[in-house]
Amino acid sequence: MADPAECTIKVMCRFRPLNSSEVARGDKYIPKFVGEDCVSPLQGKPYYFDRVFQSNTTQVQFYNAVALKIVKDVLEGYNGTIFAYGQTSSGKTHTMEGKLHDSEMMGIIPRIVQDIFNYIYSMDENLEFHIKVSYFEIYLDKIRDLLDVSKMNLSVHEDKNRVPYVKGCTERFVCSPEEVMDAIDEGKSNRHVAVTNMNEHSSRSHSIFLINIKQENTQTEQKLTGKLYLVDLAGSEKVGKTGAEGTVLDEAKMINKSLSSLGNVISALAEGSLLALGADSEQMNKMTRILQDSLGGNCRTTMVICCSPSSFNDAETRSTLLFGQRYINTIND
Amino acid sequence: MASFHSDEWRAICDKFNNAQNLTEVESRNDPENDPFRSKYKARELLREIYCSLKSLEAGDGEQDADGGESGDQLPTEQPVDDQKEEGVFSRGFSGDSPAGKRVAKLGAVEYFLGVNHVDTEELSAGQEHLMNCMKLLERCGVSSENVSLFINVRNQLGILWAGRDETEMAQEYLEKAESIYQRYMKEDGTPPTDMTEYFSAEENLLTHQERIKRFELAYTHTMYYLAQVYTNLGQKERAATYCHCTLQRQLQLNQFNPMEWALNAAALSQYYIPKGRYMEGRHCLAAATVVSGLAGEVPSEAVAQESEAESERREQLRQKRAEMARCWIKYCLNLLQDAKKLLEVLFVPVNENQRNGINSSNCQIFTLVFKSCMKVLWVFVQDNIGELDTDRQDELRRARRRQEEEEEKGRKSALLFGSEDTFDSIASVEEKVMCLLPLDFTEARSVFLVGQNYVTQAKEYYQMDGYVTDHIEILQDHSALFRALAFFEEDLERRCKMHKRRVDMLEPICNDLNSQYYLMIRRQLMFELAETYSDMMDLKLTLANRQADAQASDSHTIKKFNHLCSASAKFFQMFLDSLCSPEGKPPEHLEEEVLRPALVARFRVARLHSKLISSSPAVQLENLDSSLQNYKYVVQYCEAHPEAAAAVETELELSKEMVGLLPLKINRLKARMAANN
């Protein structure tokens, strides 16, 4: 897909600390860290990532290591994507959002937004900036505009002059960090509207927040556009309780009960050859096409996986680590 | 036995219906912070039913020797292992006897409890109940009263063990379910009691038809689960067969959604096609085409504009049919390409084969020969690689006819799709395109035309404006169809025209596409255009050589030749330029994906420049210089990166030669130029 020389994809893993109720309950702290890039859960094999962050990592440290460079690149006209993956108790929300108005505790997203605007404010007055945001989700191969709920079935459009884009999606111009955060809040609340089973929904839908930064030098007329995609990946919210057995559930081996997934089973047989058909591949196809310019040439992509250190969440943690590992393997193939 | 009309019994039945309702209906409304609320309630009811049943039994006093706690007094005590075929069908007492019926009821409750626990993620408890059900059933033989339970409990245990990554255990249970079904259908076949009927009043019992429908659906699931298990075990072939069976059953039993079924059948064809199994692939595609028609007409634009639902339906149908058209394109393309591969070996002289790395012991040939089902050719290939004369062509055709007859006879009717309505339609779609490798131009052309027709269909939906990537993939397939067909065309002029069609199709697109966003695709197109122009150039050369010598250096021909030569070089150079940095600097290190193409492109540019014809010595010199530079690059890069040498062995060898020879040629030319001044 992407020419590796032009594209860098990193996988970062972060463990949160045990919270007070976990400590009170007597939960064990299971991850063992080796160096800066390796972690192994209790009695498990080691997992290697580009970086592994321990529980004492601060928000600032994490941001600097993970997102800072991406923001710089976007402001220089490149595209960047940050994927986030983590189950309910993993600390993903804290990592991605944190306490929005607390300068120490805020997460990646508010910092990105602030950095962008700080950069803009500090720039030459000859530079004109146009920032617009979009927010949409992909669920069961339908794309839904989260800033305008009447748009329920958008499609990915490609023409020869433009990279694939979501046609008809709201693009809202913003002039301040507050306006960006407001858009995020609005989209999130819209996500919950008209969805009967929220867990099932969010466990199967991806949401994408796009910040599009165009800069024009009024003197030289040079134009630059950079896009930053913030992708919240599906599969992060798990319905029901954790596996009572504490065994690792290798999702790939589980049997799908419903005949509606027959297409996926067949596609898996034919995988790698000719055309891939089937619902899940539709979803991945849509996302891949939208993120194409991020994944194909001149891009910076980071995957952040968040884990809980508690023995109580052992099964979820393992499946998250496995997910991150698979992602690394897919990239390197 | 408690009277079926007693109040207690009625209470039990009501409770059961309640439990079912909670499980199937109410549970969908459970809030997200208490997702199993209804199922927990259902569980309580089921437990109560179990206790009531037990106490009813006890109240009756046991009339036969199967009472709960009081040990087994069965005449034929069998060990716990119930995997023995005969045991299940004929041991213990009959499933239809009162004792058998009692066992079935208890077993059913255990079954539903088991499923309940599994659904609420309590696997151990689930397993326990399911195993209790198995143990209860051990005591009786299979009969219409309980066969559904026999099969469903094994389906569930299969799922459970697969979830624990114990695939072989899952396999055992599911294969047992399979054999129970097959034997039951063979020896009995009466519509079996459905598990929900154990607690139904007389008047609410199901019709025969409904019973069969549910029973068959359970077995379809068995097939489906086995397909997944075989996939997990890496037995792809078996998995494909079971997917095929699942699809077949869905069609026969009329339990399918047309578009979904059609897409699945089309997907299955994409499993068979790369394996060269064109008969199966064609069958899947033909069935897909016919069944997709059952989904109805595509709503017109006018209708679509009136309602959201119609608009969506129109979109869905159009898109899915276009996807199926693309599967057909792949079918035709692969068929032509495989035929070409086979014939290339047989019809091309030995030394050329050797140059292309093909020789008589090449495994590819063997596989191709078998893939095309031309087993008779095996001997042929071994003895007679070389140019085949007409006698041998006839031999080939005779072999083909023999094979066709064999296939007609051996046609696996078990794997045919269809119901009474559709068998004929499917066959008539199949008749439109062949499934054996085409051997001459007429046959190849017929396959080509089918493929081209589907290209048109697919492009209707996947238009450039909106679906750039898909549209271009379709064009690339179209170009490949032409390329494959050209191989069969004996007239060189016409062959050239086919290549021209490819150029006309792809060149405008390549030039139009935004180079920043469509980098990868443009590279593919550039390379293909470069090679196509090269092929055309070679053809022109051959044509020119064939004409009488008097006409040898016609200036028009030379101009044409040079044009093609430069065009080819231009596109190879474009490809190379696309690898450079924005400032135009070539990469120090070539990444794996682009290594071979980049070096080959350099090599070809070198070669093309040396072929350009010019009467001006100065121009000749320029061309030779450029040629030399490019050959040098290849040699130097491979010296600096030894691992690259393996990727371009032949080209490297030739490059080294030329690096040695060209300087001499250049010097001679310079000397001549100096002498003439």
Side-chain angles (χ1 to χ4, degrees):
Chain A
M1 233 161 81
D3 186 340
E6 296 161 329
C7 190
T8 51
I9 302 180
K10 296 201 183 316
V11 182
M12 315 283 196
C13 174
R14 185 183 193 189
F15 275 85
R16 65 164 173 75
L18 284 175
N19 62 38
S20 44
S21 41
E22 289 169 340
V23 174
R25 194 171 50 197
D27 285 2
K28 290 211 185 51
Y29 186 90
I30 56 169
K32 278 193 174 38
F33 300 98
V34 183
E36 279 198 336
D37 64 355
C38 173
V39 62
S40 41
L42 205 61
Q43 297 161 4
K45 59 171 192 165
Y47 290 87
Y48 289 89
F49 300 102
D50 287 286
R51 274 222 40 200
V52 175
F53 294 87
Q54 304 190 27
S55 307
N56 54 1
T57 312
T58 64
Q59 296 284 59
V60 174
Q61 285 171 327
F62 190 73
Y63 175 75
N64 289 340
V66 171
L68 191 60
K69 178 96 178 47
I70 295 190
V71 173
K72 283 205 168 62
D73 292 336
V74 170
L75 290 165
E76 282 169 16
Y78 288 97
N79 294 326
T81 306
I82 301 181
F83 290 94
Y85 183 88
Q87 294 168 337
T88 330
S89 53
S90 62
K92 181 178 73 163
T93 314
H94 176 76
T95 296
M96 298 308 287
E97 297 168 30
K99 290 210 173 69
L100 295 177
H101 303 288
D102 182 325
S103 60
E104 245 191 73
M105 298 302 271
M106 55 186 196
I108 291 183
I109 297 179
R111 285 178 200 274
I112 287 178
V113 173
Q114 265 197 4
D115 262 4
I116 291 175
F117 280 94
N118 286 343
Y119 176 89
I120 293 174
Y121 297 150
S122 73
M123 273 289 102
D124 205 327
E125 28 181 61
N126 291 326
L127 281 179
E128 231 180 58
F129 285 87
H130 299 276
I131 306 179
K132 41 187 193 184
V133 297
S134 297
Y135 200 0
F136 53 90
E137 77 171 357
I138 307 178
Y139 177 60
L140 297 182
D141 100 300
K142 281 203 212 302
I143 304 181
R144 186 162 79 113
D145 187 341
L146 290 174
L147 295 178
D148 180 351
V149 285
S150 68
K151 298 183 180 168
M152 298 269 301
N153 196 2
L154 301 172
S155 56
V156 180
H157 197 94
E158 285 175 301
D159 69 47
K160 53 196 181 177
N161 290 318
R162 282 192 64 166
V163 68
Y165 64 100
V166 179
K167 190 171 182 188
C169 197
T170 306
E171 290 179 320
R172 185 178 295 176
F173 282 95
V174 290
C175 309
S176 69
E178 291 72 38
E179 286 184 16
V180 178
M181 300 314 291
D182 283 345
I184 294 180
D185 282 335
E186 190 184 324
K188 281 172 74 175
S189 66
N190 281 341
R191 223 180 158 189
H192 288 255
V193 165
V195 172
T196 40
N197 187 343
M198 191 54 209
N199 274 352
E200 190 263 344
H201 180 90
S202 55
S203 72
R204 292 167 69 185
S205 70
H206 312 296
S207 79
I208 301 183
F209 185 75
L210 165 61
I211 307 177
N212 187 320
I213 305 175
K214 194 161 84 172
Q215 31 182 314
E216 186 172 343
N217 188 319
T218 47
Q219 280 194 333
T220 68
E221 292 199 15
Q222 192 205 16
K223 292 195 181 89
L224 274 179
T225 306
K227 289 198 217 156
L228 178 59
Y229 291 95
L230 299 164
V231 184
D232 192 336
L233 284 177
S236 306
E237 306 302 327
K238 190 162 148 63
V239 177
K241 307 180 284 198
T242 61
E245 313 285 291
T247 53
V248 179
L249 298 172
D250 188 344
E251 295 151 15
K253 296 283 172 76
M254 292 189 73
I255 281 188
N256 214 299
K257 278 187 168 188
S258 162
L259 277 168
S260 60
S261 304
L262 177 56
N264 293 339
V265 178
I266 294 178
S267 295
L269 284 177
E271 118 184 323
S273 64
L274 309 182
L275 290 174
L277 302 171
D280 274 356
S281 69
E282 268 300 317
Q283 209 153 317
M284 284 314 292
N285 282 346
K286 285 219 160 109
M287 200 161 70
T288 318
R289 283 163 81 199
I290 294 169
L291 298 174
Q292 197 167 298
D293 62 344
S294 241
L295 298 172
N298 287 338
C299 68
R300 308 279 183 266
T301 303
T302 298
M303 161 86 80
V304 173
I305 59 173
C306 296
C307 299
S308 150
S310 156
S311 46
F312 187 72
N313 302 118
D314 183 44
E316 285 164 326
T317 300
R318 278 169 206 266
S319 93
T320 302
L321 290 172
L322 209 67
F323 174 84
Q325 204 74 103
R326 277 203 199 119
Y327 200 95
I328 284 193
N329 293 341
T330 332
I331 296 167
N332 292 333
D333 274 349
Chain B
M1 192 61 160
S3 157
F4 278 90
H5 303 289
S6 72
D7 291 327
E8 290 165 316
W9 182 247
R10 203 157 283 139
I12 290 179
C13 291
D14 283 341
K15 241 180 226 166
F16 180 78
N17 288 328
N18 216 341
Q20 287 294 87
N21 186 51
L22 282 164
T23 306
E24 312 279 319
V25 180
E26 293 291 325
S27 62
R28 297 205 197 127
N29 300 330
D30 284 342
E32 80 189 49
N33 59 347
D34 192 5
F36 298 140
R37 190 162 66 183
S38 301
K39 294 199 173 159
Y40 290 147
K41 281 195 206 151
R43 184 185 300 177
E44 282 316 305
L45 293 174
L46 288 168
R47 285 203 182 127
E48 286 169 26
I49 295 175
Y50 186 86
C51 293
S52 309
L53 284 178
K54 280 300 215 179
S55 64
L56 277 178
E57 252 181 45
D60 268 351
E62 276 92 73
Q63 268 136 12
D64 12 49
D66 74 326
E69 282 74 86
S70 55
D72 289 328
Q73 297 154 40
L74 296 170
T76 47
E77 174 67 66
Q78 296 277 6
V80 178
D81 170 54
D82 101 320
Q83 306 301 355
K84 293 206 208 80
E85 180 76 32
E86 312 71 40
V88 176
F89 270 82
S90 54
R91 68 150 141 248
F93 41 79
S94 154
D96 291 328
S97 67
K101 290 188 182 173
R102 210 179 351 221
V103 159
K105 287 187 173 53
L106 268 174
V109 179
E110 290 279 21
Y111 171 84
F112 284 113
L113 275 168
V115 172
N116 181 292
H117 279 282
V118 170
D119 283 349
T120 54
E121 301 186 16
E122 296 166 23
L123 294 185
S124 305
Q127 183 186 341
E128 206 184 303
H129 284 289
L130 292 171
M131 290 310 289
N132 288 347
C133 175
M134 290 273 288
K135 283 203 203 89
L136 283 166
L137 289 176
E138 258 162 45
R139 306 177 190 173
C140 48
V142 173
S143 78
S144 70
E145 187 64 29
N146 59 22
V147 64
S148 187
L149 195 51
F150 263 91
I151 289 179
N152 275 294
V153 71
R154 282 173 175 77
N155 278 359
Q156 290 299 323
L157 282 164
I159 296 173
L160 189 145
W161 282 107
R164 291 202 175 136
D165 212 9
E166 294 277 356
T167 316
E168 275 96 9
M169 290 282 299
Q171 181 187 7
E172 242 182 81
Y173 280 110
L174 293 168
E175 285 179 348
K176 188 64 185 171
E178 183 185 14
S179 73
I180 292 176
Y181 169 89
Q182 285 169 348
R183 189 161 163 185
Y184 177 78
M185 293 307 280
K186 191 165 140 204
E187 294 180 358
D188 186 333
T190 45
T193 309
D194 183 71
M195 294 183 314
T196 54
E197 290 185 286
Y198 293 127
F199 303 103
S200 294
E202 287 280 343
E203 56 279 11
N204 292 337
L205 292 180
L206 300 171
T207 59
H208 281 330
Q209 248 182 2
E210 184 62 28
R211 281 183 172 183
I212 293 181
K213 185 167 151 205
R214 295 189 190 192
F215 182 56
E216 297 286 6
L217 189 58
Y219 183 62
T220 303
H221 279 88
T222 310
M223 295 282 98
Y224 174 53
Y225 299 151
L226 276 168
Q228 295 180 64
V229 161
Y230 292 133
T231 307
N232 292 340
L233 291 171
Q235 297 176 27
K236 280 195 166 180
E237 184 53 37
R238 271 182 110 178
T241 307
Y242 277 78
C243 285
H244 198 126
C245 282
T246 307
L247 284 173
Q248 187 192 17
R249 290 180 57 83
Q250 285 181 313
L251 202 55
Q252 270 169 350
L253 301 167
N254 207 357
Q255 290 166 338
F256 64 99
N257 167 296
M259 260 348 268
E260 214 178 275
W261 194 96
L263 269 185
N264 289 344
L268 190 57
S269 80
Q270 309 292 286
Y271 166 78
Y272 287 122
I273 291 171
K275 294 186 152 55
R277 292 167 60 181
Y278 293 105
M279 192 182 84
E280 290 92 332
R282 181 181 70 173
H283 189 63
C284 286
L285 284 170
T289 303
V290 167
V291 172
S292 80
L294 297 176
E297 290 294 315
V298 177
S300 69
E301 278 207 60
V303 170
Q305 271 167 17
E306 283 166 27
S307 108
E308 178 84 38
E310 284 299 305
S311 163
E312 209 181 298
R313 197 175 122 77
R314 176 179 155 84
E315 185 65 19
Q316 282 285 313
L317 282 177
R318 287 184 71 222
Q319 190 215 0
K320 293 191 167 150
R321 288 188 175 150
E323 276 187 48
M324 276 166 40
R326 291 177 79 182
C327 290
W328 270 113
I329 297 173
K330 295 291 182 189
Y331 172 86
C332 297
L333 183 54
N334 275 264
L335 190 61
L336 284 173
Q337 286 173 339
D338 273 359
K340 177 178 168 190
K341 274 185 224 156
L342 178 65
L343 292 170
E344 252 174 352
V345 170
L346 295 177
F347 284 87
V348 168
V350 180
N351 47 352
E352 262 201 59
N353 272 346
Q354 279 167 353
R355 188 150 47 87
N356 294 338
I358 300 172
N359 56 51
S360 61
S361 60
N362 189 308
C363 301
Q364 248 203 353
I365 307 171
F366 301 166
T367 349
L368 272 170
V369 168
F370 279 105
K371 262 159 64 162
S372 71
C373 299
M374 289 185 165
K375 300 193 181 81
V376 179
L377 283 178
W378 166 261
V379 175
F380 226 24
V381 166
Q382 281 195 305
D383 292 343
N384 299 303
I385 288 192
E387 204 128 11
L388 292 184
D389 53 36
T390 41
D391 281 340
R392 301 226 165 104
Q393 282 197 38
D394 288 340
E395 181 72 52
L396 254 166
R397 295 211 171 86
R398 259 173 275 150
R400 146 85 76 68
R401 254 172 269 132
R402 255 173 270 152
Q403 193 56 40
E404 274 169 353
E405 284 159 18
E406 243 184 73
E407 269 185 30
E408 267 311 304
K409 278 188 241 154
R411 218 170 144 136
K412 301 163 209 169
S413 52
L415 286 184
L416 286 184
F417 286 129
S419 47
E420 274 133 35
D421 314 319
T422 48
F423 272 126
D424 289 336
S425 334
I426 293 178
S428 75
V429 171
E430 283 180 303
E431 271 155 33
K432 298 199 173 123
V433 69
M434 52 194 295
C435 70
L436 295 174
L437 296 183
L439 292 179
D440 60 25
F441 180 73
T442 313
E443 291 181 345
R445 187 164 176 268
S446 72
V447 175
F448 170 86
L449 288 172
V450 171
Q452 184 163 256
N453 177 40
Y454 282 112
V455 165
T456 311
Q457 265 191 48
K459 280 198 297 190
E460 252 178 49
Y461 180 79
Y462 288 110
Q463 296 180 359
M464 186 67 167
D465 184 30
Y467 298 97
V468 168
T469 319
D470 293 295
H471 183 91
I472 293 183
E473 258 180 52
I474 296 170
L475 290 182
Q476 285 173 313
D477 281 347
H478 197 182
S479 170
L481 280 168
F482 269 115
R483 180 161 187 260
L485 182 62
F487 170 80
F488 290 90
E489 173 59 79
E490 281 162 16
D491 180 309
L492 296 188
E493 277 286 0
R494 286 205 289 264
R495 210 188 269 189
C496 214
K497 289 206 173 100
M498 287 181 197
H499 289 304
K500 181 84 170 60
R501 289 284 301 270
R502 298 170 62 197
V503 164
D504 291 342
M505 210 184 338
L506 298 177
E507 193 167 341
I509 306 251
C510 186
N511 293 336
D512 264 354
L513 281 180
N514 182 302
S515 53
Q516 185 193 355
Y517 300 135
Y518 292 104
L519 185 62
M520 295 310 288
I521 295 182
R522 285 191 82 234
R523 281 184 187 161
Q524 288 171 7
L525 293 175
M526 288 171 204
F527 212 92
E528 181 163 353
L529 283 163
E531 293 200 299
T532 310
Y533 271 117
S534 238
D535 285 341
M536 287 169 74
M537 177 193 82
D538 286 335
L539 282 168
K540 284 292 184 217
L541 190 59
T542 312
L543 276 167
N545 287 343
R546 282 191 189 174
Q547 291 184 307
D549 294 36
Q551 297 188 27
S553 11
D554 170 52
S555 78
H556 171 79
T557 313
I558 293 180
K559 220 169 141 196
K560 187 80 185 157
F561 175 88
N562 277 344
H563 164 71
L564 294 169
C565 189
S566 326
S568 178
K570 171 180 107 177
F571 278 105
F572 276 124
Q573 192 58 52
M574 244 197 243
F575 172 80
L576 289 166
D577 291 341
S578 78
L579 298 171
C580 297
S581 71
E583 295 85 40
K585 191 166 154 262
E588 297 269 326
H589 175 73
L590 293 166
E591 294 297 327
E592 209 185 309
E593 295 87 53
V594 295
L595 175 64
R596 183 173 156 77
L599 290 175
V600 167
R602 284 271 181 181
F603 174 78
R604 302 287 288 270
V605 166
R607 201 141 174 228
L608 287 161
H609 277 188
S610 72
K611 284 191 165 165
L612 280 168
I613 301 172
S614 169
S615 48
S616 149
V619 171
Q620 283 174 25
L621 193 60
E622 227 181 278
N623 290 339
L624 289 176
D625 258 335
S626 162
S627 181
L628 182 59
Q629 290 319 310
N630 281 298
Y631 280 127
K632 272 190 180 160
Y633 178 91
V634 174
V635 174
Q636 282 161 358
Y637 187 89
C638 290
E639 265 166 25
H641 304 84
E643 66 292 354
V648 284
E649 255 181 69
T650 331
E651 289 82 1
L652 180 58
E653 207 182 300
L654 286 165
S655 299
K656 283 181 180 158
E657 259 181 60
M658 296 310 280
V659 166
L661 292 172
L662 271 179
L664 301 172
K665 197 167 174 187
I666 291 177
N667 287 339
R668 275 203 302 272
L669 180 58
K670 281 185 179 162
R672 263 208 310 272
M673 282 167 74
N676 288 344
N677 286 353

